[in-house]
Amino acid sequence: MSANQPLKNIAILTSGGDAPGMNAAIRSCTLAALHYGHKVFGFLHGFKGLINNEFILLEEQKVRDIIHCGGTILKSARCPEFLDENNQQLAADHLDNLNIDALIVIGGDGSFCGMLALNKHYKGQLIALPGTIDNDVDGTDHTIGFATAVNTAIDAIDKIRDTADAFERVFVIEVMGRHSGFLALNVGIASGAEQVITFENFKNPGVELQNIAEHIKLCKEKRGASSYLIVAAENLWPQGIDQLCNDLQNYANITCTPCILGYIQRGGSPVPKDRIMATKMGVAAIDAIINGKTMVMIGEVSATIVEVKIKYAVRHKKQVNGDLLMAQNSILDIAELAKINKL
Amino acid sequence: MSANQPLKNIAILTSGGDAPGMNAAIRSCTLAALHYGHKVFGFLHGFKGLINNEFILLEEQKVRDIIHCGGTILKSARCPEFLDENNQQLAADHLDNLNIDALIVIGGDGSFCGMLALNKHYKGQLIALPGTIDNDVDGTDHTIGFATAVNTAIDAIDKIRDTADAFERVFVIEVMGRHSGFLALNVGIASGAEQVITFENFKNPGVELQNIAEHIKLCKEKRGASSYLIVAAENLWPQGIDQLCNDLQNYANITCTPCILGYIQRGGSPVPKDRIMATKMGVAAIDAIINGKTMVMIGEVSATIVEVKIKYAVRHKKQVNGDLLMAQNSILDIAELAKINKL
Amino acid sequence: MSANQPLKNIAILTSGGDAPGMNAAIRSCTLAALHYGHKVFGFLHGFKGLINNEFILLEEQKVRDIIHCGGTILKSARCPEFLDENNQQLAADHLDNLNIDALIVIGGDGSFCGMLALNKHYKGQLIALPGTIDNDVDGTDHTIGFATAVNTAIDAIDKIRDTADAFERVFVIEVMGRHSGFLALNVGIASGAEQVITFENFKNPGVELQNIAEHIKLCKEKRGASSYLIVAAENLWPQGIDQLCNDLQNYANITCTPCILGYIQRGGSPVPKDRIMATKMGVAAIDAIINGKTMVMIGEVSATIVEVKIKYAVRHKKQVNGDLLMAQNSILDIAELAKINKL
Amino acid sequence: MSANQPLKNIAILTSGGDAPGMNAAIRSCTLAALHYGHKVFGFLHGFKGLINNEFILLEEQKVRDIIHCGGTILKSARCPEFLDENNQQLAADHLDNLNIDALIVIGGDGSFCGMLALNKHYKGQLIALPGTIDNDVDGTDHTIGFATAVNTAIDAIDKIRDTADAFERVFVIEVMGRHSGFLALNVGIASGAEQVITFENFKNPGVELQNIAEHIKLCKEKRGASSYLIVAAENLWPQGIDQLCNDLQNYANITCTPCILGYIQRGGSPVPKDRIMATKMGVAAIDAIINGKTMVMIGEVSATIVEVKIKYAVRHKKQVNGDLLMAQNSILDIAELAKINKL
């Protein structure tokens, strides 16, 4: 990169559910762009801001001290109206009116679909950064916000374990993740939960109910009275974890307490992993813009920055790593151990 | 205190909802008792353990490293069967059989009522330590566990604020506290919530609904779009905060997201305040036993240890400090300010 | 209080070492003042800003979101030049030129001495809020920042314990506190340290060296190899804790690792205790101004707001609570226990 | 893997500096081994325990609840005496006497060198897990403990920033890392430090002194008075950071405050990243043993488990990722920006 590059107007927006580290990414994009002399605009409220032409100028002083802040200073919003082609054209017009050469979108796969649509109307460069606590974006080991969400969930479950231990009780804890099991599986393993109910190994409620009930009873037999934690992915058990608790009561007379962690998983100061990855990705986004790239997502694979076609990130469903599932089975499946022991 | 005192057998139990700092109190009672040469027993599962004669010997090595642990190594349990006089007599018999000279109960007012009952059957000394996250025990500035619960709730709400800010949305957050507003009011003030709904200033749902709706609209007028947090005490709004959200939607077309913090508020490593107060109280409990006291609760008033009759602690309802209510009104009541400004 | 009071110009400054919760106090003073219609100015860099006439207008939007921020948005500074009477007069002139009716100073006893001096030149009201991590201000149970500093030190020592345990090693940890033992004693007890070296019970290096060495050996005898933590107040051991470690090596061949916690103890997001107390105190400061008070410090005693003459707060040295010293002796003094056991 | 494998005796030890997550690895190795019916021994105090034949039996109950604990339940120790061949033979004899089929060593490259030596005397399988906060082991993206150490350092520096901001002062913060810049560089970027002094880009003290002084002055010019944080790797600046502060004072009249973070970086509850990676690696270690592997280290590359020859991990020096250095330069080098702006 050299200072002889043409100076550009670069815009940034954050879209979809907020994720810790989005501000670190905004900061990094802005500082790196200013470093090379470019000008930076921030659109507010995600794609809604493109439609409504709401933006601010991003200067060093505005972003300098935000690396540790949760949320997003550019705000976010759901924007179903961006499905309308007229609004897509309006967005492109607003970008053109400001002479924006490149737009960086920080968000998840819904946001990337928005970029595919916008690309038909806007001739500038489009660069994506993966920002979602769900980690359900392919082409990158991790998304911005995932590490912090896991951390928050673990902190919460470490506390719930105390009460579960004191009362030797079964708790069912629901974590976020939309339709992906990354959060549930990582949180389950890191919290030492006795059971994880996730998309990747779920058969059907009947089979699972029987497995869980047997496992709880086996644990009680082997360990005596003790706590038992079940981490469950949201959107998985029919009618939710309250129903799961009812089902366990009815099926096997096991009393469970349901806990939904909810929105605390979205916020909070980003953990270092998210701050660092977001910083690297932001710098790489500006690098990609300088190099004339478009329709690529910046990812991180094995601690190294990569560029991936946005189409790829959208079209592939990232699989939860097999090592994790194997770890869960080997560590948690005391039932299996019991069978071996009986041989 | 001198080494010439008769050496005693002292028992400890934890009862009711677990509270962070109970282990610090167990440790402190045990170490102080051992310091003077007494012998220490721990009954398990609260009053249930008295009935079932479940106990362990407490030695230095068992309690040395538990000051920072949430929950209670002596376990806890609800014990409605202790209302039965036969069980009270059984408990007294078990204590007598072990030659227990004094029993320390760490718990809340329910546990203290149990002590009043036990006192009719057991001739040894009975000493209470206030341990509950609800802070609803009179005769002490704070109960063991309250400071940690406030801390946990604030940590959670600081995170929720990030999402509320990013989406400029209204959140209603329910905190624990049973039938007392200490948690809600302290948490509301420390989190900078725009609104606190608590027992101490609640009129009726109709009036409150109107006030809240007006305040939300006024805030929006004065600040532009922005987040708005409502901290609500549990057991207050008829049918809970989901209904409050529905009511606000129906009454004033305001969309709110409900969050129930739930069991995370009970657990976790105790904050220093709870560790220190529990340590001081534990030492004072042994001191009281050496001095022949019975049916007293150890409290802390203005950082100084006090002894209070258990009857007093049970019969008086502690009032939330007026300074707190005044602070809430002065800081949060922007509506009031607005009226003044219009004059 | 009513809206018919004359509307005033109120100024705020923070002075001396920064303490977590100062921002919460600034916010609370400002919001409460605005609530009653007053106007609020913030002087920058403590008394230096009074001399240099550096100030900003404090409005709702500037203070709304700072309750959780460490440091002070008004900056602080040491200001030896305020000992000069000419500068005191200059400060008074600047306040008069702005028609400031009342000045709130948030700081420790050095800052309060500055107020005594300023009072000779300035005819407005002067209100003090106790803000220092050292807790060495009389007339209040706690100072703003103390609870957070204890918390930070405990977090750090909980981590050091892990390494001390893994290597079965002796660590000496120096905490702040200037010439007062509040921090050392509270931190020592809450961390479960085996030994606390503090002003309140220090005899002389020779005696202490012998006591510590004997205690370490006794612990090793009774417990087998294990970790041993010494929490030491700064400014106590001649030539500091590195020398203490050398002395223990030379005197008794005990190898110790020194750790100075240092500046991490000053910063960080205030714990709820500091946020809430600062909020109450800020509201009470405005209340005192409305009621025509001057030369008073707002304190909190037994969770209730009090007003104390600044002279009193400056002239009395607050004593560490006797219960704490008793707790330390009973819990930590295993040597004493050993002697009793031998009888 | 099948239950028909021969059942083995497996030993585990932790060696070198303790690192958060070592307990999670011990737990995972043990549970996975028990899952397949193997027997597990834990040697104490690292290689010292091999020489002295100090060991315990590891059962489910001993490791079940340690995933969140810092330090190592197997203790650690430096062991220079293991350089002696007689001691290596003694260690091998002790392993043979117990019929240990495989030994898992959790530690850093010093420990791996011990394994190379032991391999000449011991005929069983040897499996390494990378456990060190320094991240200076090749063949794995991260070592166990690194993520937690970064996290701890950031927490500390976030607090120091508060005081630096309040006093608009320069702080120099020394972080660990032995002879590698991973910690310094990651911590520097994630804390938003203005300057990172690390092995990877260090020229010589004279050049660096000039660069730093110029950068500090430039920042002051562009931003006005403000804080300035320098994160420095240990073992880099001649005579340490106290000398660096003196040098800056003498060279450019810049007053700096030095802070050495020290031992807090080694301990603490492991962050989820370390818990999860340690769990996966532990399961993979048992898998490797079942598959007859020896002299391999388990690593994690791009979230996937890999096996690497121990020789490789020892002989290669892992390079700090180029993207990180690029990020540092682009974000922090305001001086460079200034030059461009002047063109």
Side-chain angles (χ1 to χ4, degrees):
Chain A
M1 288 171 290
S2 99
N4 298 328
Q5 299 288 339
L7 297 188
K8 297 188 171 180
N9 290 328
I10 298 173
I12 310 175
L13 65 81
T14 50
S15 166
D18 60 314
M22 281 184 162
N23 279 327
I26 294 167
R27 170 183 178 270
S28 164
C29 291
T30 304
L31 292 183
L34 295 176
H35 175 73
Y36 296 110
H38 306 300
K39 199 166 172 183
V40 190
F41 298 80
F43 276 85
L44 301 175
H45 303 110
F47 287 97
K48 220 173 218 169
L50 282 186
I51 299 176
N52 298 335
N53 207 24
E54 278 185 284
F55 63 89
I56 57 173
L57 197 63
L58 287 173
E59 288 159 326
E60 194 239 349
Q61 191 242 352
K62 276 217 184 74
V63 301
R64 194 202 302 163
D65 287 334
I66 63 171
I67 194 172
H68 61 293
C69 299
T72 157
I73 62 166
L74 294 179
K75 312 291 179 185
S76 189
R78 307 287 171 188
C79 186
E81 53 268 46
F82 202 74
L83 292 173
D84 179 342
E85 281 215 20
N86 294 326
N87 283 327
Q88 296 162 10
Q89 184 59 49
L90 199 56
D93 293 345
H94 289 147
L95 288 167
D96 289 337
N97 292 345
L98 279 169
N99 294 315
I100 301 294
D101 299 289
L103 172 68
I104 300 169
V105 173
I106 310 171
D109 57 5
S111 311
F112 299 169
C113 289
M115 296 174 82
L116 292 174
L118 181 61
N119 190 40
K120 294 180 192 150
H121 305 268
Y122 171 60
K123 296 305 157 220
Q125 296 165 268
L126 288 168
I127 307 290
L129 295 193
T132 160
I133 64 165
D134 302 325
N135 201 32
D136 57 348
V137 172
D138 210 348
T140 186
D141 287 351
H142 297 103
T143 55
I144 297 168
F146 174 65
T148 304
V150 172
N151 196 61
T152 299
I154 298 302
D155 272 0
I157 298 177
D158 281 356
K159 292 185 209 299
I160 292 171
R161 173 72 80 178
D162 288 335
T163 298
D165 278 346
F167 283 83
E168 297 166 344
R169 208 188 275 171
V170 181
F171 275 78
V172 181
I173 300 139
E174 183 191 289
V175 299
M176 287 184 162
R178 278 207 316 168
H179 299 287
S180 154
F182 282 97
L183 263 175
L185 201 46
N186 279 277
V187 165
I189 287 174
S191 65
E194 276 74 12
Q195 193 67 241
V196 182
I197 306 177
T198 177
F199 296 91
E200 279 72 14
N201 59 6
F202 190 80
K203 295 184 187 82
N204 66 62
V207 170
E208 297 298 333
L209 203 57
Q210 186 183 347
N211 283 345
I212 299 169
E214 276 180 15
H215 196 233
I216 292 174
K217 286 180 178 170
L218 193 81
C219 271
K220 205 167 168 168
E221 255 172 52
K222 288 177 58 82
R223 298 180 173 177
S226 70
S227 64
Y228 188 99
L229 299 190
I230 302 172
V231 170
E234 67 176 350
N235 299 321
L236 180 53
W237 197 268
Q239 295 171 277
I241 65 165
D242 285 355
Q243 188 55 44
L244 168 54
C245 291
N246 288 340
D247 290 346
L248 277 165
Q249 185 78 64
N250 295 333
Y251 175 79
N253 202 26
I254 294 167
T255 304
C256 304
T257 308
C259 291
I260 297 175
L261 294 190
Y263 276 89
I264 58 169
Q265 296 166 85
R266 286 213 173 283
S269 181
V271 298
K273 164 79 190 174
D274 281 326
R275 298 189 194 184
I276 295 167
M277 195 174 63
T279 300
K280 287 165 65 178
M281 286 178 169
V283 170
I286 300 305
D287 196 29
I289 289 170
I290 289 172
N291 290 322
K293 304 291 179 67
T294 188
M295 291 309 285
V296 295
M297 181 192 82
I298 307 297
E300 189 197 52
V301 174
S302 188
T304 304
I305 288 297
V306 296
E307 292 177 0
V308 190
K309 294 219 164 94
I310 290 177
K311 271 187 195 168
Y312 176 89
V314 169
R315 294 209 184 136
H316 285 72
K317 177 154 171 58
K318 184 159 66 169
Q319 297 301 315
V320 168
N321 190 287
D323 300 324
L324 262 185
L325 284 166
M326 175 176 154
Q328 185 208 10
N329 290 334
S330 302
I331 299 293
L332 302 182
D333 194 359
I334 304 171
E336 191 58 32
L337 164 64
K339 271 181 267 160
I340 292 171
N341 283 346
K342 281 179 201 149
L343 296 181
Chain B
M1 288 171 291
S2 98
N4 298 326
Q5 299 289 340
L7 298 188
K8 297 188 171 182
N9 290 327
I10 298 172
I12 309 174
L13 65 80
T14 50
S15 166
D18 60 315
M22 281 184 162
N23 280 327
I26 294 167
R27 169 183 178 269
S28 164
C29 291
T30 303
L31 292 183
L34 295 177
H35 174 74
Y36 295 109
H38 306 299
K39 200 168 171 183
V40 190
F41 298 81
F43 276 85
L44 300 175
H45 304 110
F47 287 98
K48 221 173 217 168
L50 282 186
I51 300 176
N52 299 335
N53 206 25
E54 277 186 284
F55 62 89
I56 56 172
L57 197 64
L58 287 173
E59 289 159 325
E60 196 239 347
Q61 190 242 352
K62 276 217 183 74
V63 302
R64 194 201 302 162
D65 287 334
I66 63 171
I67 195 171
H68 61 293
C69 299
T72 157
I73 62 165
L74 294 179
K75 312 290 180 184
S76 190
R78 306 287 171 189
C79 185
E81 53 270 45
F82 202 73
L83 292 172
D84 179 341
E85 282 215 21
N86 295 325
N87 283 327
Q88 296 163 11
Q89 185 59 50
L90 200 57
D93 293 345
H94 290 148
L95 289 168
D96 289 336
N97 293 344
L98 279 169
N99 294 314
I100 301 294
D101 299 289
L103 172 68
I104 300 168
V105 173
I106 311 170
D109 56 5
S111 311
F112 299 170
C113 289
M115 295 175 81
L116 291 174
L118 180 60
N119 191 40
K120 295 180 192 152
H121 305 268
Y122 171 60
K123 296 306 158 221
Q125 296 165 267
L126 288 169
I127 307 291
L129 295 193
T132 160
I133 64 166
D134 302 325
N135 202 31
D136 57 350
V137 172
D138 210 347
T140 187
D141 287 351
H142 297 103
T143 54
I144 297 168
F146 174 64
T148 305
V150 173
N151 196 62
T152 299
I154 299 302
D155 273 2
I157 298 176
D158 281 356
K159 293 185 207 300
I160 292 172
R161 174 72 80 178
D162 287 335
T163 298
D165 278 346
F167 282 84
E168 296 166 347
R169 206 188 276 173
V170 182
F171 275 78
V172 182
I173 301 139
E174 182 191 289
V175 298
M176 287 184 164
R178 279 204 316 164
H179 299 287
S180 156
F182 282 97
L183 263 175
L185 201 47
N186 278 278
V187 166
I189 287 174
S191 65
E194 276 74 12
Q195 193 67 241
V196 181
I197 305 177
T198 177
F199 296 90
E200 280 72 15
N201 59 6
F202 190 79
K203 292 180 191 85
N204 65 62
V207 170
E208 298 297 334
L209 204 58
Q210 187 184 347
N211 283 345
I212 298 169
E214 276 180 16
H215 196 231
I216 292 174
K217 284 179 180 170
L218 194 82
C219 271
K220 204 168 170 169
E221 256 171 50
K222 287 178 59 81
R223 298 182 173 174
S226 70
S227 64
Y228 188 98
L229 300 190
I230 302 172
V231 170
E234 65 175 351
N235 299 321
L236 181 53
W237 197 269
Q239 297 173 276
I241 65 165
D242 285 356
Q243 187 56 44
L244 168 54
C245 291
N246 288 340
D247 290 347
L248 278 166
Q249 185 77 66
N250 296 333
Y251 176 79
N253 202 24
I254 295 167
T255 304
C256 304
T257 309
C259 291
I260 297 176
L261 294 189
Y263 276 89
I264 58 168
Q265 296 166 86
R266 286 213 173 284
S269 181
V271 297
K273 164 79 189 173
D274 282 326
R275 297 188 194 185
I276 295 166
M277 195 174 63
T279 299
K280 288 166 64 178
M281 286 179 170
V283 170
I286 300 305
D287 196 28
I289 289 171
I290 289 173
N291 289 323
K293 305 288 178 69
T294 189
M295 291 309 286
V296 295
M297 182 192 82
I298 307 298
E300 191 198 51
V301 173
S302 189
T304 303
I305 288 295
V306 295
E307 291 176 1
V308 190
K309 294 220 165 93
I310 291 178
K311 271 185 194 169
Y312 176 89
V314 169
R315 294 210 184 134
H316 286 72
K317 178 156 169 56
K318 184 161 65 171
Q319 297 301 315
V320 168
N321 191 286
D323 301 326
L324 263 184
L325 285 166
M326 175 176 155
Q328 185 208 9
N329 290 334
S330 302
I331 299 293
L332 302 183
D333 194 359
I334 304 170
E336 191 59 30
L337 165 65
K339 272 181 266 159
I340 294 171
N341 284 347
K342 280 177 201 149
L343 296 181
Chain C
M1 287 173 293
S2 97
N4 299 327
Q5 299 289 339
L7 296 188
K8 298 188 171 182
N9 290 327
I10 298 173
I12 309 174
L13 65 80
T14 50
S15 167
D18 60 314
M22 282 183 161
N23 280 328
I26 294 167
R27 168 182 179 272
S28 163
C29 291
T30 304
L31 292 183
L34 294 176
H35 174 73
Y36 294 110
H38 307 299
K39 198 168 172 184
V40 191
F41 298 81
F43 276 85
L44 301 175
H45 304 109
F47 287 98
K48 221 173 217 169
L50 282 186
I51 299 176
N52 299 336
N53 208 23
E54 279 185 284
F55 62 90
I56 57 172
L57 198 64
L58 287 173
E59 289 158 325
E60 196 240 347
Q61 189 242 352
K62 276 216 183 77
V63 302
R64 194 200 304 162
D65 286 334
I66 63 172
I67 195 171
H68 61 293
C69 299
T72 157
I73 62 165
L74 294 179
K75 311 291 180 182
S76 189
R78 306 288 172 188
C79 185
E81 53 270 44
F82 202 72
L83 292 173
D84 179 342
E85 281 215 21
N86 294 326
N87 283 328
Q88 295 162 12
Q89 185 58 52
L90 199 57
D93 292 346
H94 290 147
L95 289 167
D96 288 337
N97 292 344
L98 278 169
N99 294 316
I100 301 295
D101 298 289
L103 171 68
I104 300 169
V105 173
I106 310 171
D109 56 5
S111 311
F112 298 169
C113 289
M115 296 175 81
L116 292 174
L118 180 61
N119 191 39
K120 295 179 192 152
H121 305 270
Y122 171 61
K123 296 307 158 219
Q125 296 164 269
L126 289 168
I127 307 289
L129 295 193
T132 160
I133 63 165
D134 302 325
N135 202 32
D136 57 350
V137 172
D138 211 348
T140 187
D141 288 351
H142 297 102
T143 54
I144 297 167
F146 174 66
T148 305
V150 172
N151 197 61
T152 299
I154 298 303
D155 273 0
I157 298 177
D158 281 356
K159 292 186 208 300
I160 292 172
R161 174 72 80 181
D162 288 335
T163 298
D165 278 346
F167 282 84
E168 296 166 345
R169 208 189 274 174
V170 182
F171 275 78
V172 182
I173 300 138
E174 183 191 288
V175 299
M176 286 184 165
R178 278 206 317 164
H179 299 286
S180 156
F182 281 98
L183 263 175
L185 201 46
N186 279 278
V187 165
I189 287 174
S191 64
E194 275 74 12
Q195 193 67 241
V196 181
I197 305 177
T198 177
F199 295 91
E200 281 71 16
N201 58 7
F202 190 79
K203 295 182 189 84
N204 65 61
V207 170
E208 297 297 334
L209 203 59
Q210 188 183 346
N211 283 345
I212 299 169
E214 275 179 16
H215 196 231
I216 292 174
K217 285 179 180 172
L218 194 82
C219 271
K220 204 169 170 167
E221 256 171 50
K222 288 177 59 81
R223 298 182 174 175
S226 71
S227 64
Y228 187 99
L229 299 190
I230 302 172
V231 170
E234 67 175 349
N235 299 321
L236 181 53
W237 199 268
Q239 296 172 277
I241 66 164
D242 285 355
Q243 187 56 44
L244 169 54
C245 291
N246 288 339
D247 290 347
L248 278 166
Q249 185 78 65
N250 295 334
Y251 175 80
N253 202 25
I254 294 167
T255 304
C256 304
T257 308
C259 292
I260 297 175
L261 294 189
Y263 275 89
I264 57 169
Q265 295 165 86
R266 286 214 174 284
S269 181
V271 297
K273 164 79 190 174
D274 282 326
R275 297 189 195 184
I276 294 166
M277 194 174 63
T279 299
K280 287 165 65 178
M281 286 178 170
V283 170
I286 299 306
D287 195 27
I289 289 170
I290 289 172
N291 290 322
K293 304 290 177 70
T294 188
M295 291 309 285
V296 296
M297 182 192 83
I298 307 298
E300 189 197 52
V301 173
S302 189
T304 304
I305 287 297
V306 295
E307 292 177 1
V308 190
K309 294 219 164 95
I310 291 178
K311 270 186 195 169
Y312 176 88
V314 169
R315 293 208 185 135
H316 286 71
K317 178 157 171 56
K318 184 160 65 170
Q319 298 301 314
V320 168
N321 190 286
D323 300 326
L324 262 185
L325 284 165
M326 175 176 155
Q328 184 207 9
N329 290 334
S330 303
I331 299 293
L332 302 183
D333 195 358
I334 305 171
E336 192 59 31
L337 164 65
K339 272 181 269 160
I340 293 170
N341 284 346
K342 281 177 201 149
L343 296 181
Chain D
M1 288 171 291
S2 100
N4 299 327
Q5 298 289 339
L7 297 188
K8 297 188 172 182
N9 290 327
I10 298 173
I12 310 175
L13 65 82
T14 50
S15 166
D18 60 313
M22 282 184 162
N23 279 328
I26 294 167
R27 170 182 178 271
S28 164
C29 291
T30 304
L31 292 182
L34 294 176
H35 175 73
Y36 294 111
H38 307 299
K39 199 167 172 183
V40 190
F41 298 80
F43 276 85
L44 302 175
H45 304 111
F47 287 98
K48 221 172 217 168
L50 282 186
I51 300 176
N52 298 335
N53 207 24
E54 278 185 285
F55 63 89
I56 58 172
L57 197 64
L58 286 174
E59 289 159 325
E60 195 240 348
Q61 190 242 353
K62 276 217 183 73
V63 302
R64 193 201 303 163
D65 286 335
I66 63 171
I67 195 171
H68 61 294
C69 298
T72 157
I73 61 165
L74 295 179
K75 312 290 180 183
S76 190
R78 305 289 170 188
C79 187
E81 55 269 45
F82 203 72
L83 292 173
D84 179 342
E85 281 215 20
N86 294 326
N87 284 327
Q88 295 163 12
Q89 183 59 49
L90 200 56
D93 292 346
H94 290 147
L95 289 167
D96 288 337
N97 292 345
L98 278 169
N99 294 314
I100 300 295
D101 298 290
L103 171 69
I104 300 169
V105 173
I106 311 171
D109 56 6
S111 311
F112 299 169
C113 289
M115 296 175 82
L116 292 174
L118 181 61
N119 192 38
K120 294 179 191 153
H121 304 269
Y122 171 60
K123 296 306 156 221
Q125 294 165 269
L126 289 168
I127 307 290
L129 296 193
T132 160
I133 63 165
D134 303 325
N135 203 30
D136 57 348
V137 172
D138 211 346
T140 187
D141 287 351
H142 296 103
T143 54
I144 297 167
F146 174 65
T148 305
V150 172
N151 196 60
T152 300
I154 298 303
D155 273 0
I157 297 177
D158 281 355
K159 292 185 208 301
I160 292 171
R161 174 72 81 181
D162 287 334
T163 298
D165 279 346
F167 283 83
E168 295 166 346
R169 208 188 273 172
V170 181
F171 275 78
V172 181
I173 300 138
E174 183 192 289
V175 299
M176 286 184 163
R178 279 209 316 168
H179 299 286
S180 155
F182 281 97
L183 263 175
L185 201 46
N186 279 278
V187 165
I189 287 173
S191 65
E194 275 75 12
Q195 192 67 243
V196 181
I197 306 177
T198 178
F199 296 91
E200 279 71 16
N201 60 5
F202 190 79
K203 295 183 188 84
N204 64 63
V207 170
E208 296 298 334
L209 203 58
Q210 188 183 345
N211 283 345
I212 298 169
E214 275 180 17
H215 195 232
I216 292 174
K217 285 180 180 171
L218 193 82
C219 270
K220 206 168 167 167
E221 254 172 54
K222 288 178 57 82
R223 297 180 175 177
S226 71
S227 64
Y228 188 100
L229 299 190
I230 302 172
V231 169
E234 67 176 350
N235 299 321
L236 180 54
W237 198 268
Q239 297 172 276
I241 66 165
D242 285 356
Q243 188 55 45
L244 168 54
C245 291
N246 288 339
D247 291 346
L248 278 165
Q249 185 77 64
N250 295 333
Y251 175 80
N253 202 25
I254 294 167
T255 304
C256 304
T257 307
C259 291
I260 297 175
L261 294 190
Y263 276 89
I264 57 170
Q265 296 164 86
R266 285 212 173 287
S269 182
V271 298
K273 164 79 190 175
D274 282 325
R275 297 188 195 185
I276 295 166
M277 194 174 63
T279 299
K280 287 165 65 178
M281 286 179 170
V283 169
I286 299 305
D287 195 28
I289 288 170
I290 290 172
N291 291 323
K293 304 290 178 68
T294 189
M295 291 309 287
V296 295
M297 183 193 81
I298 307 298
E300 189 197 53
V301 173
S302 189
T304 303
I305 288 295
V306 296
E307 291 177 1
V308 189
K309 293 219 165 97
I310 291 178
K311 270 186 197 170
Y312 176 88
V314 170
R315 294 209 183 134
H316 286 71
K317 177 155 171 56
K318 184 161 64 170
Q319 298 301 314
V320 168
N321 190 288
D323 301 325
L324 262 184
L325 285 166
M326 174 176 157
Q328 184 208 10
N329 290 334
S330 304
I331 298 292
L332 302 182
D333 195 359
I334 304 170
E336 191 59 32
L337 164 64
K339 272 181 268 161
I340 293 171
N341 284 347
K342 281 178 201 149
L343 296 180

